[in-house]
Amino acid sequence: MLKSFAIVVALALATTANGETFAIQAGHLITDAAKPARGPSTVIVENDRIVRIEDGATAPTGATVVDLRNKTVLPGLIDAHVHLTEDAGLAWYAMLRTKHSEPYAATTGLKNALITARAGFTTLRDAGGPTLASLAMRDAIDEGAFAGPRILVATTPLSIIGGHGDNVVGLAPELADAINKADPQVGVCTGAAECAKAVRLIAAKGADVIKFMATGGVLDDGAIGLEQHFTDVEMKAICDTAHQMGLKAMAHAHGARGIEAAVRAGVDSIEHGTYADDTDIALMKSKGTYMVATLMAYKGLTMYLGKGLYTENTEAKARRTLSEWGKALNRAYKGGVKIALGTDAAVFPHGQNAEEIELMVEKGGMTPRDALIAATRGGADLLGIASKAGTLEPGKSADLIAVDGDPLTDAKAVQHVRYVMARGRIIPMN
């Protein structure tokens, strides 16, 4: 009975969205962050898509008028690296609840997806979470049962034994054994054949992207460092198999030689890239590899260091990485590397994602315009959805937001979001 009711509600929501015509009147309109803004304009939306853009404040017969004539309307923002099924600032024992209770993780993900949509993000790439929870969260929002953005999910990240992504790191043996029995780690693999099989299993479950831990992580307690984990052969097997399955591969990577190995293996994006050096940057440029710098993650570290949430080893690694905050992004920007916005939300509280653009300017040396390009066109290209999102054009999905000020010149303007439409559906702002 409850299931039937939920289906009826979802269909009703979808029908309402699909059957309504909107006339979104903008004071200024940014159709493409790489181009000059237009003056007063109206975006006409039908059946969840943009059908045309008109000069001035028009109102077609029968359309629902959205008066944003004192706002700047622009494409919805894209965050290519979030963790929706987790929350920031939790002690390790509290984090186990979201990591190992799929139902709880799914509800956490739905909550955080809406929070992030309200912050102006109409597309998110979830960079790792419990498999069933991640898929349920994505599909429930996609079907219209819950308000939220478009979501692509990585589900289970691949890791070496004892590496970043292996749940047993730092836990007592009896606790590790109990967790492994309840939550077998399909993503923990050794050797090219085993890693290729793991990619196929993850893809078969419905993942949108394959993530692997090319190096150690800052927030794990492992003592094997931030350099290369998987071998060159294993990384190539992961990337090749992902591409054979029609999926992209993303690499968590901090150390310079781990970054280099992942890029040589054919990865589509480097996530974090903390210690990327000139060799890495030149290689990424030549291969067309994206940099997703997640500068907000480092801000998250500053919020929680010294509060007893991390082990001594983790705190030491975190403090070392803070000295590199933004330097690799600056090298990538100057070196002509493709850049997409990503934040690593869950290391900091969800909903603050738009502050990444400010950090891309302040720490990474980017212009506000180029940071906005990375947050729209760049993300759409990396995620393979440029035909749907990233710019406002007839035929594309109605993913748009309205802000105060001019985000082409003011990096903080996107922190003042007043209206959000994701795939033609109005996001409730409270």
Side-chain angles (χ1 to χ4, degrees):
M1 182 68 178
L2 288 175
K3 182 177 180 182
S4 299
F5 177 74
I7 292 173
V8 170
V9 171
L11 290 174
L13 287 170
T15 302
T16 300
N18 289 335
E20 195 167 1
T21 298
F22 293 93
I24 300 168
Q25 300 173 342
H28 292 89
L29 179 67
I30 299 171
T31 59
D32 184 336
K35 299 178 181 178
R38 295 169 54 136
S41 306
T42 302
V43 181
I44 307 299
V45 175
E46 294 178 0
N47 298 320
D48 301 344
R49 295 191 175 275
I50 298 168
V51 294
R52 63 184 181 278
I53 297 173
E54 302 175 348
D55 292 331
T58 62
T61 302
T64 297
V65 175
V66 181
D67 187 354
L68 300 170
R69 287 178 292 174
N70 63 342
K71 309 294 180 189
T72 298
V73 173
L74 65 150
L77 305 177
I78 298 172
D79 192 330
H81 194 123
V82 300
H83 295 280
L84 294 171
T85 58
E86 300 176 22
D87 281 318
L90 300 180
W92 69 269
Y93 49 83
M95 291 178 66
L96 289 179
R97 182 168 54 180
T98 56
K99 285 183 178 294
H100 302 293
S101 169
E102 299 260 359
Y104 189 86
T107 59
T108 298
L110 290 169
K111 174 199 70 174
N112 290 330
L114 179 55
I115 289 171
T116 312
R118 287 171 172 164
F121 288 81
T122 56
T123 298
L124 304 173
R125 184 173 66 172
D126 190 277
T131 298
L132 297 179
S134 299
L135 296 172
M137 168 189 67
R138 177 196 68 188
D139 295 346
I141 293 174
D142 186 56
E143 293 165 3
F146 292 86
R150 175 189 295 104
I151 302 175
L152 285 73
V153 297
T155 69
T156 304
L158 276 66
S159 168
I160 66 168
I161 296 171
H164 191 59
D166 184 349
N167 282 332
V168 304
V169 174
L171 298 181
E174 60 274 19
L175 182 56
D177 288 343
I179 289 174
N180 280 338
K181 290 176 183 177
D183 183 25
Q185 291 295 288
V186 67
V188 177
C189 57
T190 302
E194 192 175 299
C195 288
K197 179 180 179 180
V199 170
R200 293 189 181 101
L201 289 171
I202 293 167
K205 290 179 183 293
D208 301 301
V209 61
I210 300 298
K211 180 184 179 182
F212 66 98
M213 307 303 194
T215 75
V218 175
L219 293 183
D220 65 54
D221 192 43
I224 57 179
L226 295 175
E227 264 303 345
Q228 183 173 348
H229 278 195
F230 283 110
T231 66
D232 292 357
V233 174
E234 288 169 335
M235 288 194 203
K236 190 171 189 311
I238 292 168
C239 293
D240 286 352
T241 307
H243 294 155
Q244 289 166 6
M245 302 294 290
L247 303 178
K248 293 191 175 185
M250 58 190 297
H252 159 107
H254 287 284
R257 301 289 64 82
I259 294 169
E260 180 182 2
V263 176
R264 291 192 186 282
V267 77
D268 296 285
S269 64
I270 293 294
E271 313 292 313
H272 315 306
T274 307
Y275 294 96
D277 59 18
D278 291 341
T279 298
D280 297 328
I281 297 304
L283 188 60
M284 291 175 71
K285 168 66 174 176
S286 68
K287 296 274 192 179
T289 312
Y290 265 90
M291 168 71 89
V292 182
T294 66
L295 301 184
M296 279 295 290
Y298 305 92
K299 183 174 181 178
L301 292 179
T302 66
M303 296 170 64
Y304 301 115
L305 286 175
K307 296 186 177 180
L309 294 174
Y310 304 137
T311 66
E312 183 179 347
N313 182 50
T314 298
E315 291 245 350
K317 285 191 292 183
R319 293 185 189 282
R320 286 195 297 270
T321 60
L322 284 174
S323 67
E324 301 296 318
W325 193 1
K327 292 179 181 178
L329 177 60
N330 186 253
R331 292 189 196 101
Y333 181 54
K334 291 179 178 177
V337 171
K338 294 179 180 179
I339 297 169
L341 179 147
T343 64
D344 213 4
V347 178
F348 65 93
H350 295 277
Q352 298 176 11
N353 311 55
E355 293 179 29
E356 181 78 18
I357 290 180
E358 181 182 356
L359 290 175
M360 293 168 85
V361 173
E362 292 184 356
K363 297 285 188 180
M366 300 178 70
T367 66
R369 179 185 292 275
D370 286 340
L372 190 62
I373 291 172
T376 52
R377 289 172 56 107
D381 181 60
L382 171 59
L383 272 55
I385 58 169
S387 63
K388 303 176 183 178
T391 60
L392 302 181
E393 302 175 52
K396 286 195 173 185
S397 178
D399 295 343
L400 55 85
I401 65 175
V403 302
D404 296 326
D406 180 8
L408 293 175
T409 59
D410 179 6
K412 294 184 180 181
V414 291
Q415 297 175 33
H416 306 286
V417 176
R418 306 307 181 196
Y419 180 87
V420 179
M421 176 177 279
R423 292 182 291 176
R425 302 167 184 165
I426 299 172
I427 298 296
M429 298 302 284
N430 52 45

